[in-house]
């Protein structure tokens, strides 16, 4: 965590190039990713002002095998992509979460009122509220924050833009309020809860689990509450 100016300077000077290679592969355009992150920081500053910020990432996913078998308590192989959503975020002292995604409007959520609303089904607001409520129900700390989100995981492209967004919000809360200790599997299950209960889509768990756990994984859903996740070496 550091102020926006210092973060942009560190990125521009190449201090995070190793991390970018880890996230996006050795053949990426480093200059392009540096600009992308610096642009996101600038946009955050335009929206919310100067702050001590952290930056978070969550990937899209591709399914290698097992289409829809997560619904049938079966097995899947899925992989995280080097296409992701990123968030610039900072904690606040009030009980509000404020998020702007891309060119969308400011979303403001009251942390004292996280019950699902029928009028919000199918909206980004529903996903954020569902993740926040789900983490709280799992016993994790939630709190106010401001975030600007930008995503290369295109909506409707079949690479789980909604699961990437849910995972990103869970990761922000984990980083800002829980010292990064919320397990990836819990973030995935909370993302599914948000999509099922708040957003209104009866999705399985493969998308969220692949986005949250990362890399290439084999998942056995025989026990729906406790899926077995095995990394696949390749």
């Amino acid at each position: 965590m550091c102020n926006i100016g210092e973060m942009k300077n560190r990125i521009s000077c190449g201090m995070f190039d190793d991390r970018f290679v880890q996230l996006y592969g050795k053949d990426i355009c480093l200059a392009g990713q540096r600009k992308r992150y610096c642009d996101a920081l600038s946009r955050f500053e335009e929206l919310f002002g100067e702050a001590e910020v952290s930056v978070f990432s969550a990937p899209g996913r591709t399914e290698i095998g097992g289409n829809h078998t997560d619904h049938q308590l079966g097995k899947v192989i899925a992989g995280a992509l080097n296409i992701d959503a990123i968030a610039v975020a900072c904690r606040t002292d009030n009980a509000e979460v404020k998020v702007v995604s891309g060119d969308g409007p400011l979303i403001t959520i009251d942390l004292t009122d996280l019950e699902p609303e029928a009028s919000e089904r199918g909206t980004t607001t529903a996903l954020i509220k569902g993740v926040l409520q789900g983490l709280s129900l799992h016993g994790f700390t939630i709190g106010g924050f401001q975030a600007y989100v930008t995503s290369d995981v295109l909506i409707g492209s079949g690479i789980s833009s909604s699961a990437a967004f849910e995972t990103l919000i869970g990761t922000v809360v984990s980083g800002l309020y829980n010292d990064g200790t919320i397990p990836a599997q819990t973030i995935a299950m909370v993302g599914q809860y948000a999509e099922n209960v708040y957003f209104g889509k009866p999705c399985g768990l493969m998308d969220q689990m692949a986005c949250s756990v990362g890399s290439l994984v084999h998942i056995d859903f025989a026990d729906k509450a406790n899926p077995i996740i095995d990394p696949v070496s390749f």
Side-chain angles (χ1 to χ4, degrees), residues 27-72:
D27 296 324
I28 64 160
C29 173
L30 285 171
Q33 288 297 338
R34 291 180 197 141
K35 182 178 186 302
R36 178 187 179 218
Y37 277 73
C38 286
D39 287 349
L41 288 157
S42 294
R43 182 61 176 143
F44 178 96
E45 188 172 21
E46 291 172 5
L47 291 164
F48 303 114
E50 178 60 64
E52 296 284 314
V53 297
S54 299
V55 182
F56 303 89
S57 165
R61 72 96 189 98
T62 183
E63 54 185 337
I64 312 301
N67 187 29
H68 293 302
T69 56
D70 54 335
H71 294 274
Q72 310 301 326

Side-chain angles (χ1 to χ4, degrees), residues 1-4 7 44 48-56 87-99 111 132 140-148 169-182:
M1 180 183 295
C2 63
N3 66 58
I4 290 174
M7 182 76 78
F44 178 96
F48 303 114
E50 178 60 64
E52 296 284 314
V53 297
S54 299
V55 182
F56 303 89
V88 179
C90 74
R91 289 177 58 152
T92 60
D93 295 329
N94 55 34
E96 286 186 338
V97 166
K98 295 186 176 183
V99 177
L111 291 175
L132 293 168
F140 293 101
T141 301
I142 64 172
F145 65 87
Q146 299 170 330
Y148 172 68
I169 296 299
T171 303
V172 168
V173 175
S174 181
L176 294 182
Y177 283 99
N178 296 273
D179 296 321
T181 61
I182 302 179

